[in-house]
């Protein structure tokens, strides 16, 4: 599944569960998750370390998947973005 498909799925889940959990990137990649699995304290810090200019979920769509995968492999305990995203979704 591509990054765009996963992001779309995440956005649909957020819409479907908005009242129950208000799922956002900050909640999905919360401080606890980031501390346990990454070298960053926050998702924003993680993006900044990769020199990604992504401030919204829409901005994430424009990040090249290979660049994000390499950054994830370098800065986290995950091999790629999809694995990181799946773990974050499973942790909620």
């Amino acid at each position: 599944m591509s990054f765009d498909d996963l992001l779309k799925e995440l956005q649909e889940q957020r819409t479907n569960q908005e009242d129950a959990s208000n799922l956002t990137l900050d909640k999905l990649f919360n401080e606890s998750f980031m501390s346990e699995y990454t070298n960053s304290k926050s998702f924003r810090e993680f993006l900044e370390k990769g020199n990604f200019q992504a401030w919204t979920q829409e901005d994430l769509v424009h990040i090249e998947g290979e660049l994000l995968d390499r950054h994830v492999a370098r800065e986290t305990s995950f091999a790629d973005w999809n694995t990181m995203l799946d773990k974050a979704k499973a942790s909620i």
Side-chain angles (χ1 to χ4, degrees):
M1 188 179 291
S2 74
F3 171 74
D4 291 342
D5 291 339
L6 286 172
L7 184 58
K8 188 178 211 179
E9 179 182 327
L10 179 60
Q11 288 171 331
E12 288 172 3
Q13 283 181 354
R14 180 178 159 235
T15 300
N16 293 339
Q17 299 174 354
E18 191 167 338
D19 292 334
S21 67
N22 292 323
L23 187 62
T24 64
L25 287 174
D26 288 334
K27 287 187 180 184
L28 185 63
F29 298 105
N30 59 51
E31 188 176 312
S32 175
F33 179 90
M34 297 304 289
S35 293
E36 183 173 348
Y37 297 107
T38 77
N39 298 325
S40 302
K41 294 178 184 175
S42 69
F43 191 65
R44 169 105 35 226
E45 180 183 321
F46 168 77
L47 292 176
E48 288 172 354
K49 282 183 176 181
N51 292 317
F52 297 116
Q53 299 296 318
W55 308 113
T56 66
Q57 289 184 29
E58 282 183 24
D59 293 340
L60 282 175
V61 173
H62 301 291
I63 297 174
E64 184 180 334
E66 184 178 326
L67 293 176
L68 189 55
D69 283 344
R70 283 190 290 195
H71 182 60
V72 167
R74 223 179 14 251
E75 294 290 324
T76 76
S77 60
F78 303 105
D80 56 41
W81 168 249
N82 291 337
T83 306
M84 182 176 170
L85 182 61
D86 288 345
K87 180 65 174 180
K89 290 187 329 186
S91 298
I92 296 297

